[in-house]
Amino acid sequence: MPRPLSATIHTAALANNLAVVRKYAPKSKIWAVVKANAYGHGLARAFPGLRATDGFGLLDLEEAVKLRELGWAGPILLLEGFFRPTDIDVIDRYSLTTVVHSDEQMRMLEMARLSKPVNVQLKMNSGMNRLGYTPEKYRAAWERARACAGIGQITLMTHFADADTPRGVSEQMATFERGAQGIAGTRSLANSAATLWHPSTHFDWVRPGIILYGASPSGFSSALEGVGLQPAMTLASELIATQHVAEGQTVGYGSIFTARKPMRIGVVACGYADGYPRVAPEGTPVIVDGVLTHVVGRVSMDMLTVDLTPVHSAGVGARVELWGNNLPIDDVAKACGTIGYELMCAVAPRVPVRAE
Ligand SMILES: *Cc1c(COP(=O)(O)O)cnc(C)c1O
């Protein structure tokens, strides 16, 4: 028998979440963002649930090729562009669309030998200060792209830093409009947060990632109330042992938890080597036998321990949900001081994953 830990990918939830995006941005096409192995869900496993999209956005050439091999003939966008001249051969061969965010990339495209022009998304740095041309240099970059024989369609693109915070998008939108003034062309601006909360950013293409997987861009599960998203991944395991602990006894490495009364502890087959965060403090939510309880003691490599006080009946073999259908990944992430994105991306290769 393998360890009882596994992740389940909910294909119907992915399809539902894509439909939710369509409802929010009915006039836009969708780049379904599947970078980082579909946010940890597995590209091949996520693909069937998302195939009603208009295009896929990702980072690695290898993942782009894999999508083609899965039978996807539609648009694929390289969200960071490319890194070396030889990457352009792959872009050409597999008909990929690429971000262009720098003169180095522009120059590589000017020098490339291509069988046909490459469609590009010309990225403006509208305030995030990671990638892209400044608003002042944007028009010149666009003219240079237009003059490049190797470049086909040019979409105007930027990325928001605060679409999920009270700061919002207005400042970056104004900067974008200033830099893009008088430039015709389709536009691609909105990440998940902007797709949900800033309709003025939708334009021709939206680029949602996290909401396709049913988690919140802001890190607060409450922010998704009424939106209609469903979790695309459930991470579940079982109790492999229980312990009676007397008052004053401790649990696990570092003895960081001391029982204040006699209690039962459940030992779950899931640890930080499976991707569960070691930093998860006492109180991090866990569901055992359908009942909400929480982590006690330090998460170890292959196991974690939970308080069985609210679940008197739970014994070895009891089902444990670490996150998923009954426990928002955002709530687990919040307790750990991070966001759902990081937890789903961190599920370790040793965890068996199946799609349903
Ligand atoms: C990752 C990414 C997205 C998707 O972001 P979410 O917050 O997951 O919606 C959109 N655009 C770009 C350029 C990205 O890198």
Side-chain angles (χ1 to χ4, degrees):
M1 279 285 284
R3 287 169 81 222
L5 176 65
S6 69
T8 304
I9 307 307
H10 310 299
T11 305
L14 291 164
N16 169 78
N17 298 343
L18 186 70
V20 169
V21 170
R22 285 246 184 261
K23 200 183 76 186
Y24 272 78
K27 297 193 182 119
S28 309
K29 290 192 188 177
I30 301 171
W31 292 114
V33 177
V34 291
K35 62 191 178 192
N37 199 24
Y39 288 47
H41 293 62
L43 189 58
R45 279 182 296 265
F47 175 64
L50 296 174
R51 65 186 316 154
T53 187
D54 302 292
F56 285 99
L58 41 66
L59 291 167
D60 295 309
L61 287 173
E62 256 174 55
E63 289 190 340
V65 172
K66 198 165 155 193
L67 259 184
R68 289 284 182 245
E69 287 166 359
L70 287 167
W72 178 252
I76 298 177
L77 171 62
L78 297 172
L79 292 162
E80 273 180 6
F82 51 90
F83 309 93
R84 290 181 182 74
T86 47
D87 296 342
I88 299 175
D89 303 338
V90 185
I91 288 173
D92 186 32
R93 177 150 169 232
Y94 291 92
S95 304
L96 309 180
T97 300
T98 181
V99 162
V100 171
H101 63 73
S102 67
D103 281 337
E104 290 77 13
Q105 289 179 332
M106 191 81 81
R107 185 167 165 72
M108 284 189 254
L109 275 175
E110 285 166 346
M111 309 292 284
R113 292 158 155 267
L114 295 157
S115 70
K116 57 187 178 305
V118 176
N119 293 336
V120 306
Q121 304 233 331
L122 189 65
K123 187 159 189 178
M124 188 194 298
N125 171 12
S126 59
M128 182 110 167
N129 289 314
R130 294 191 315 190
L131 303 179
Y133 290 94
T134 60
E136 293 71 31
K137 297 202 168 133
Y138 196 69
R139 189 178 182 95
W142 179 74
E143 276 166 6
R144 185 171 169 187
R146 228 169 39 136
C148 173
I151 292 180
Q153 293 163 17
I154 307 169
T155 296
L156 318 187
M157 180 212 185
T158 195
H159 192 56
F160 295 118
D162 287 294
D164 59 321
T165 77
R167 217 168 148 169
V169 297
S170 51
E171 213 174 301
Q172 277 190 266
M173 281 288 277
T175 304
F176 180 80
E177 291 305 338
R178 179 161 54 82
Q181 201 169 18
I183 306 180
T186 52
R187 292 165 185 227
S188 163
L189 278 65
N191 57 5
S192 289
T195 301
L196 289 185
W197 299 317
H198 302 287
S200 65
T201 64
H202 289 173
F203 294 103
D204 307 276
W205 286 90
V206 293
R207 301 190 309 270
I210 193 72
I211 53 176
L212 297 175
Y213 307 99
S216 170
S218 69
F220 291 93
S221 61
S222 57
L224 295 181
E225 261 166 44
V227 174
L229 299 171
Q230 297 165 2
M233 178 197 290
T234 296
L235 183 67
S237 186
E238 292 177 5
L239 295 186
I240 58 168
T242 63
Q243 300 293 338
H244 287 275
V245 177
E247 183 188 342
Q249 284 192 309
T250 64
V251 175
Y253 287 119
S255 300
I256 62 170
F257 175 78
T258 305
R260 286 174 290 271
K261 56 181 184 352
M263 63 189 291
R264 276 173 79 234
I265 296 290
V267 182
V268 181
C270 179
Y272 63 78
D274 301 302
Y276 196 92
R278 182 176 176 276
V279 295
E282 181 181 335
T284 302
V286 177
I287 289 182
V288 178
D289 246 356
V291 177
L292 183 63
T293 180
H294 56 264
V295 169
V296 291
R298 189 166 279 159
V299 173
S300 49
M301 186 183 283
D302 313 307
M303 286 172 262
L304 58 84
T305 38
V306 296
D307 182 358
L308 291 183
T309 308
V311 227
H312 306 289
S313 58
V316 170
R319 184 173 186 277
V320 177
E321 182 172 320
L322 285 321
W323 60 69
N325 274 336
N326 304 293
L327 179 55
I329 195 169
D330 296 309
D331 295 355
V332 180
K334 176 122 299 216
C336 299
T338 184
I339 50 177
Y341 294 72
E342 187 177 9
L343 298 192
M344 55 179 77
C345 290
V347 173
R350 81 175 189 183
V351 177
V353 188
R354 63 186 183 86
E356 61 163 33

